[in-house]
Amino acid sequence: MTPLAAEVNENLAQISNYLVYSSMAVYTLAFLAHIAEWIFGSRSKVGRTAAALTGAKAAGADAPAVRVRGKGGTAVLDRPKVVTRSAAGTRDVPDGPGAAGGTEDGDLYGRIAVSLTALAFLIEAAGVVARAMSVQRAPWGNMYEFSLTFSTVAVGAYLILLALKKNVRWMGLILVTTVLLDLGIATTWLYTASDQLVPALHSYWLWIHVSTAIICGAVFYIGATGTVLYLFRDSYESKLAGGGTPGRFATSVMERLPSAATLDKFSYRINAAFFPLWTFTIIAGAIWAGDAWGRYWGWDPKEVWSFVTWVAYACYLHARATVGWKGRKAAYLALFAFACWIWNYYGVNILLNGKHSYAGV
């Protein structure tokens, strides 16, 4: 490499670092906007009743009646109850209005948060591209580069779901928080200077195998987020069904989320849709191992835990499809599968030795 080319690559690496830190700053603003969305979307009972009255007036004769009960010298309006029909054994619970709570102020801050998230995504994606140009290869040759691309793909998947008019804005605060945590770990502990790869990695399979692994992990993360929220929402609904009274904070948050049944279905569809791609990822890795090391399988820790992750997701999908596991048991299995994926990334790369140790940190 000529001195001029080396200098250009070094400048590109510095530009990549600046872009990554800039994206973190914008993600922080998006985080604050999402906080404002949740705060301004938390309406008082009077505000919820007014919204219910407005909806009832717009609906006309088919709207449920508003019941007035006396309380001293003041008339208190109860929120109309909407009764739906569903299969036997399931709860008749509608989805919540989302993080904005159906309020104009909350929706405004929510739109600002999404716009800032999209801007931060573009800046971070530019940083990934600059990193790739500085090393003249795929930008995922170590854990630092993998983490950058992982968070970029996760945010990109979230924005795609929003563009497809899917009701996922409730995920924005958790996603941005996780992305900031991921980037903080990457820039603080995992940073690796731009460098070329070892000979074993000089293959077009790097683009295929690692890219699909990143995509699967990012989308599995979104599914896991829905699963965790499902567990909280399910507990909330169970407490209400049992006559309990959840706390004010829990009520304010949980009543704005989709119903437990919706979250359960969302997570299942996400995991089921990308499980075939994870299967392809493992197969591609085996083919690459055959080209690089002369064997398709060698019980390397990374290979073993990739297969364990595949088995865990396969058991989850099989249980949902054939045994009929739905609800909390399936959710725990899905979270175990994603925990295997996280361990395969952080634990195996940092704590265990194997042929994949070339990636370093």
Side-chain angles (χ1 to χ4, degrees):
M1 181 182 296
T2 64
L4 178 60
E7 182 180 357
V8 170
N9 291 341
E10 180 63 24
N11 291 335
L12 286 171
Q14 292 180 2
I15 291 174
S16 174
N17 294 338
Y18 292 148
L19 289 172
V20 170
Y21 282 110
S22 298
S23 71
M24 293 176 66
V26 180
Y27 277 129
T28 301
L29 295 177
F31 169 81
L32 296 175
H34 274 300
I35 291 290
E37 177 187 19
W38 281 92
I39 291 176
F40 285 94
S42 178
R43 297 182 295 176
S44 65
K45 187 173 182 179
V46 174
R48 292 196 301 269
T49 303
L53 286 171
T54 303
K57 182 177 180 180
D62 294 333
V66 177
R67 180 166 57 89
V68 182
R69 56 185 172 87
K71 188 175 182 180
T74 305
V76 180
L77 302 181
D78 284 338
R79 187 180 184 182
K81 295 182 178 180
V82 180
V83 179
T84 59
R85 300 293 180 185
S86 61
T90 59
R91 302 190 190 104
D92 296 315
V93 180
D95 290 345
T103 64
E104 292 185 6
D105 288 343
D107 183 68
L108 173 62
Y109 282 104
R111 292 179 182 276
I112 293 174
V114 171
S115 299
L116 289 171
T117 302
L119 176 60
F121 163 77
L122 294 175
I123 296 174
E124 185 183 7
V128 173
V129 172
R131 177 77 176 196
M133 294 174 63
S134 71
V135 294
Q136 299 179 4
R137 57 168 171 77
W140 41 75
N142 49 62
M143 289 186 67
Y144 170 72
E145 296 171 354
F146 192 102
S147 296
L148 294 186
T149 311
F150 172 85
S151 58
T152 304
V153 174
V155 176
Y158 166 73
L159 294 174
I160 288 174
L161 289 174
L162 285 177
L164 295 176
K165 307 300 183 181
K166 302 298 181 181
N167 178 23
V168 294
R169 206 166 84 183
W170 45 266
M171 189 188 300
L173 178 59
I174 299 176
L175 176 68
V176 171
T177 303
T178 307
V179 167
L180 283 172
L181 179 62
D182 174 74
L183 292 177
I185 293 174
T187 55
T188 304
W189 291 296
L190 302 180
Y191 180 77
T192 303
S194 299
D195 198 1
Q196 294 303 311
L197 301 176
V198 297
L201 290 182
H202 284 288
S203 171
Y204 60 88
W205 284 106
L206 175 66
W207 292 91
I208 300 173
H209 170 65
V210 184
S211 64
T212 55
I214 293 173
I215 293 172
C216 288
V219 177
F220 284 157
Y221 160 74
I222 290 178
T225 300
T227 301
V228 171
L229 292 179
Y230 156 76
L231 291 174
F232 284 108
R233 174 75 190 208
D234 183 66
S235 297
Y236 172 76
E237 293 179 7
S238 297
K239 190 169 186 178
L240 289 179
T245 305
R248 182 176 179 180
F249 176 77
T251 300
S252 175
V253 173
M254 292 298 147
E255 72 177 0
R256 285 181 272 171
L257 293 176
S259 67
T262 298
L263 289 169
D264 184 45
K265 185 184 299 181
F266 169 78
S267 300
Y268 170 69
R269 288 178 174 175
I270 287 288
N271 291 328
F274 282 83
F275 177 73
L277 186 61
W278 181 247
T279 304
F280 171 78
T281 299
I282 296 178
I283 295 173
I287 297 174
W288 188 11
D291 291 342
W293 301 318
R295 91 291 188 278
Y296 296 103
W297 184 265
W299 297 102
D300 182 80
K302 178 71 72 172
E303 297 169 350
V304 171
W305 279 99
S306 294
F307 181 67
V308 169
T309 303
W310 183 90
V311 171
Y313 274 110
C315 290
Y316 163 73
L317 297 176
H318 176 74
R320 287 286 304 246
T322 60
V323 182
W325 272 22
K326 291 184 180 180
R328 303 187 72 87
K329 292 187 294 183
Y332 293 139
L333 188 53
L335 291 180
F336 172 75
F338 183 69
C340 290
W341 192 93
I342 290 294
W343 166 256
N344 192 29
Y345 175 50
Y346 285 105
V348 172
N349 281 356
I350 296 176
L351 302 177
L352 303 181
N353 292 322
K355 283 187 172 294
H356 286 76
S357 297
Y358 54 73
V361 297

